[in-house]
Amino acid sequence: MRVALAGNPNTGKTTLFNRLTGAQARVGNYPGVTVELATADLALAEGRVTVVDVPGSYSLAARSREEQVAIDALLGLGEAPRPELVVCCVDATNLSRNLYFVLQAQELGLKLVVALTMIDEAASDAHNAEQLSTLLGCPVVGVIARTGQGVDELKATIERTLREELPAPQLRFAPSQPLQARLDVIKASLPSAWPASDGLALWAMTSAGGGDELVLPEALRNALTREIPNDEVGSAIDDEAVQARYAWIDAHVKPPTKRTKARQLTERVDSVLIHPVFGFATFLGVNMLLFKALFSWAEPVMDLIEGAFSALGEQARGLLGDNIFSELVVEGVIGGAGSVVVFLPQILFLFFFVGLMEDSGYMARVAYLMDRIMKGMGLHGRAFVPMLSGFACAVPAIMATRTMERQRDRLLTMMVVPLMTCSARLPVYTLIIGALFSPTAKVLGIPVQSGLMVAMYLFSVVVSLLAAWVLSKTVLPVASASALILELPPYRLPRLGDVLRMMWQKAQAFLREAGTVILGCSIVLWALLNFPRQHDEPTGHVAIHAQGDSAQEAAHELPKSELLNHSYGARLGHAIEPVIAPLGFDWKMGVGIIGAFAAREVFVATMGVVYSVGEDADEESEGLRDRLRNETKANGQPAYTPLVGLSLLVFFALACQCVSTLAVVKRETRSWRWPVFLLVYMTTLAWVCSFAVFQGGKLLGFG
């Protein structure tokens, strides 16, 4: 048997799920934390049942595929079977809003048990379980999920109710003649496997239309299209059921006359945190702390991880000797794994802060503050936190989009987050700015080097917002704007155990799914930059030889830069040179761009190998900077000029040079379509803007 836990967001549903089953599902004080079905077993006296934690929803009238998950799980309309019982979680501190969901569930003929949660936070006159049970005609049990109070009584009630017969669908109002006529037509178009009831027909009628994202049978969709007029009469008919439900609630449920201390404290804190001035100032301070964690606090741990993998590589090289297999293990496998694990400190710090903000209730205030700015660019208010996180790394930022309900809003945010200046771009910026721009030069009294660094951050913000606006009008349009309808939950102390558990789950998911793709691509890139192992000196023809030890020894005599210059990666660099030449780049920069696809910062090390400075070169290496300054073309002109440097900065600011980002987009969208689109559109945008900078600079007379 299956028992579904359903109800509004922030009603303690997932906490109750964990308490009943002993599971460790993610909980939070922020709507949208539960975005998938979670299942676990519950032991009862007469056997075990499967408990399903359904994503929270304010109403069973669904508009998106994500919202449809709830109705599919409750009625068995999708792949999952219909549950024998639904435990509807109702927040005792807000009965009027929560009972709307209960009435909809009764209209659909669901067998219900109401779990009256948070009774310890409600005013003393806010609820009475026995009176509410008599009013609704179903069992009502008061519980405090956090402490376990009332959970044993709830288990007994679940077991007793499972043996009872299924109730008939119950409408709490009499439909008008026009509404009943439409319900009869829609009911006749329901699939045979669906329950034929006025309640289900009413659900379909109030859910579909106006750009909904629902997956419905064709016959039902056609009937809904015919029966739902897009005029004031149709709107009035749709509103009839909504108004009737609330009228019933208002007539039978009296609001409490007392305000709890928690509610009074929440209102006082909100007078600051959602204030137009003080709210933004507070948020700025929180963001500065978040940036400090992502950039400074995570850096020592990242250095330790890099050092550990470097030491592991040296140990492996000592054990395996100096041969091709050793290089594959050290540079391909261990180096690739290190490029995955090094992200973990930033991911963990990010989700630690996100978890604290969610559990405390502050995240909802952030979304409220930023919605006015974000919606002007086609983005949702909740998109701001992932975009802000993109300054550290796009990988955890894309994972953070899961707190957004609508698939369209999540996709749009994923498509623009990689445009934010992540920490992996910093080594490239530091190398190019330090090598090609004078440290003493000033423009309008501002040092050029520091001014350029700040400008690159501002540039990324402006471009990401413009890209969001364009994509929202073209690739991801929406028929009607998605208003931010968001509950501001009461403030609560974060539960550290839940936050740490969420961090661990996110880290596991990243290492298991995105990490495997990154490791595979790292090995492929290693092969491109290290094969073939020999070249024919007289003709320059590159050939692969496998004549045993003599061939290996000859290959080892070649310097690393020579091997790279005659590698397949170099061939690709020459192949793409006609494409990147209009940007001011030569084939050597092309090799760096190819190498940087594994991770942007790899560009620096790759250029160090290309110019024989050494693969350990970093952005601060004066030797590498000098080689860039002194590099010349065949005609004797400098290969790297400030204009070329600016073109390169713009290219790296906009290009999707990050297989990690593509891997996590694939994981989140469960499709190759969106990572391919992301790669194509960002690369095209980078080429066009870099072309405009370089060619425009030449037209203006800059060398």
Side-chain angles (χ1 to χ4, degrees):
M1 288 187 171
R2 292 172 69 88
V3 175
L5 278 176
N8 289 181
N10 287 35
T11 56
K13 180 170 52 60
T14 302
T15 304
L16 181 59
F17 172 80
N18 290 340
R19 177 67 65 173
L20 285 170
T21 64
Q24 295 184 342
R26 168 78 175 102
V27 299
N29 189 27
Y30 181 67
V33 169
T34 305
V35 293
E36 294 178 338
L37 296 177
T39 60
D41 287 342
L42 167 64
L44 299 175
E46 297 183 0
R48 305 183 74 85
V49 297
T50 299
V51 181
V52 182
D53 184 16
V54 180
S57 177
Y58 290 106
S59 166
L60 286 176
R63 303 294 294 170
S64 68
R65 294 184 183 182
E66 285 66 38
E67 293 174 328
Q68 193 174 7
V69 170
I71 191 71
D72 286 351
L74 296 181
L75 291 178
L77 304 184
E79 298 179 357
R82 181 184 175 112
E84 281 74 20
L85 176 68
V86 175
V87 177
C88 193
C89 293
V90 171
D91 183 357
T93 67
N94 204 333
L95 278 180
S96 296
R97 172 169 56 74
N98 282 245
L99 288 181
Y100 186 89
F101 188 97
V102 176
L103 298 188
Q104 286 183 303
Q106 290 184 326
E107 292 172 1
L108 296 172
L110 299 175
K111 186 187 294 186
L112 290 182
V113 169
V114 171
L116 196 61
T117 62
M118 303 183 190
I119 55 176
D120 56 329
E121 297 182 11
S124 57
D125 62 340
H127 64 88
N128 184 299
E130 293 182 2
Q131 293 179 0
L132 196 58
S133 177
T134 302
L135 177 65
L136 296 174
C138 65
V140 177
V141 180
V143 297
I144 304 176
R146 179 171 46 83
T147 63
Q149 179 180 328
V151 171
D152 289 339
E153 182 185 352
L154 178 62
K155 289 181 180 179
T157 304
I158 290 173
E159 190 163 25
R160 183 176 64 252
T161 310
L162 280 171
R163 296 192 294 265
E164 298 177 356
E165 294 185 0
L166 192 69
Q170 180 181 7
L171 290 178
R172 297 285 182 175
F173 66 97
S176 64
Q177 185 175 355
L179 175 59
Q180 187 63 58
R182 282 183 167 80
L183 293 179
D184 291 340
V185 173
I186 295 171
K187 188 163 54 176
S189 302
L190 295 174
S192 58
W194 292 19
S197 66
D198 285 345
L200 189 54
L202 183 61
W203 167 83
M205 192 189 77
T206 54
S207 296
D212 70 88
E213 302 172 350
L214 303 182
V215 179
L216 298 173
E218 184 178 358
L220 176 58
R221 174 67 72 181
N222 293 336
L224 291 169
T225 302
R226 292 193 308 268
E227 295 300 322
I228 302 177
N230 293 321
D231 54 22
E232 294 183 2
V233 175
S235 299
I237 293 175
D238 288 349
D239 292 343
E240 178 183 332
V242 178
Q243 295 171 357
R245 295 185 191 113
Y246 278 119
W248 187 91
I249 293 172
D250 290 342
H252 294 86
V253 179
K254 302 303 179 183
T257 58
K258 301 176 182 178
R259 293 164 65 240
T260 63
K261 292 183 179 179
R263 176 54 60 184
Q264 294 176 20
L265 176 62
T266 294
E267 291 173 356
R268 287 197 298 269
V269 174
D270 275 346
S271 65
V272 176
L273 294 188
I274 62 176
H275 188 274
V277 176
F278 301 128
F280 276 101
T282 304
F283 185 47
L284 180 62
V286 172
N287 288 333
M288 291 176 65
L289 184 63
L290 177 59
F291 272 119
K292 185 71 173 177
L294 295 178
F295 283 109
S296 300
W297 299 351
E299 186 175 355
V301 186
M302 296 172 73
D303 290 341
L304 286 175
I305 292 173
E306 289 179 342
F309 275 91
S310 178
L312 180 61
E314 291 302 318
Q315 290 288 332
R317 195 186 301 276
L319 291 174
L320 299 175
D322 192 12
N323 51 59
I324 296 177
F325 179 71
S326 172
E327 290 186 20
L328 169 62
V329 172
V330 174
E331 299 177 14
V333 178
I334 296 179
S339 67
V340 175
V341 179
V342 77
F343 283 117
L344 274 182
Q346 289 184 329
I347 290 175
L348 294 176
F349 268 120
L350 171 67
F351 281 106
F352 177 73
F353 277 93
V354 169
L356 292 181
M357 288 193 290
E358 286 178 354
D359 275 13
S360 65
Y362 182 57
M363 184 69 82
R365 277 74 181 177
V366 172
Y368 169 79
L369 282 172
M370 297 308 302
D371 181 61
R372 181 173 298 178
I373 297 173
M374 305 300 287
K375 70 181 180 183
M377 297 297 172
L379 289 164
H380 198 274
R382 292 182 182 174
F384 183 76
V385 173
M387 291 184 68
L388 182 72
S389 306
F391 280 123
C393 177
V395 172
I398 289 171
M399 295 166 67
T401 61
R402 303 195 74 186
T403 59
M404 304 167 68
E405 298 98 333
R406 286 178 36 160
Q407 174 73 358
R408 179 262 179 193
D409 294 330
R410 290 204 301 270
L411 284 173
L412 181 58
T413 307
M414 289 181 200
M415 293 301 103
V416 299
V417 159
L419 290 169
M420 306 298 285
T421 294
C422 66
S423 58
R425 290 179 170 98
L426 286 179
V428 181
Y429 291 174
T430 303
L431 173 65
I432 299 302
I433 293 174
L436 305 180
F437 295 90
S438 170
T440 59
K442 294 184 178 181
V443 175
L444 299 177
I446 301 174
V448 169
Q449 288 189 344
S450 57
L452 263 179
M453 190 66 77
V454 173
M456 295 311 299
Y457 274 88
L458 295 177
F459 177 70
S460 70
V461 174
V462 172
V463 172
S464 62
L465 292 177
L466 289 176
W469 182 79
V470 172
L471 291 174
S472 69
K473 303 295 182 184
T474 54
V475 179
L476 290 166
V478 61
S480 58
S482 174
L484 180 68
I485 303 175
L486 183 70
E487 175 187 7
L488 298 182
Y491 291 103
R492 298 188 177 97
L493 286 176
R495 287 165 288 192
L496 187 59
D498 292 335
V499 174
L500 295 177
R501 191 180 304 117
M502 180 269 293
M503 291 167 58
W504 175 242
Q505 292 171 348
K506 296 293 186 183
Q508 282 184 311
F510 170 71
L511 292 175
R512 182 177 59 251
E513 300 183 35
T516 54
V517 177
I518 299 168
L519 178 59
C521 290
S522 298
I523 294 173
V524 171
L525 286 168
W526 171 86
L528 285 175
L529 297 175
N530 285 273
F531 285 94
R533 306 294 291 180
Q534 283 188 314
H535 67 280
D536 189 346
E537 287 290 353
T539 62
H541 175 69
V542 180
I544 301 176
H545 299 283
Q547 282 89 20
D549 294 338
S550 61
Q552 275 195 352
E553 291 173 3
H556 291 163
E557 293 175 358
L558 293 174
K560 186 71 175 179
S561 59
E562 193 70 13
L563 284 174
L564 187 143
N565 290 343
H566 292 85
S567 67
Y568 293 120
R571 293 182 183 184
L572 287 175
H574 282 290
I576 68 173
E577 189 171 21
V579 178
I580 62 177
L583 314 182
F585 308 158
D586 60 13
W587 74 267
K588 294 181 180 180
M589 297 184 205
V591 174
I593 290 171
I594 293 170
F597 187 67
R600 292 180 178 92
E601 62 268 32
V602 175
F603 175 83
V604 178
T606 306
M607 298 307 287
V609 174
V610 170
Y611 289 109
S612 305
V613 178
E615 58 186 316
D616 295 329
D618 60 25
E619 62 274 16
E620 301 291 342
S621 299
E622 280 301 324
L624 180 55
R625 291 185 178 185
D626 288 338
R627 285 301 306 268
L628 296 184
R629 296 187 192 105
N630 299 326
E631 181 70 10
T632 58
K633 301 178 183 177
N635 59 8
Q637 293 182 345
Y640 290 87
T641 65
L643 183 59
V644 172
L646 188 59
S647 176
L648 198 57
L649 289 174
V650 170
F651 184 86
F652 267 91
L654 302 179
C656 189
Q657 294 291 108
C658 184
V659 69
S660 310
T661 298
L662 299 176
V664 78
V665 170
K666 162 64 172 62
R667 174 185 178 273
E668 293 298 310
T669 62
R670 296 178 176 87
S671 168
W672 281 109
R673 172 190 175 190
W674 291 109
V676 169
F677 171 76
L678 180 67
L679 175 63
V680 171
Y681 111 76
M682 286 187 64
T683 304
T684 303
L685 179 64
W687 191 95
V688 170
C689 292
S690 186
F691 177 87
V693 167
F694 184 73
Q695 298 297 334
K698 289 178 64 177
L699 289 175
L700 293 174
F702 296 103

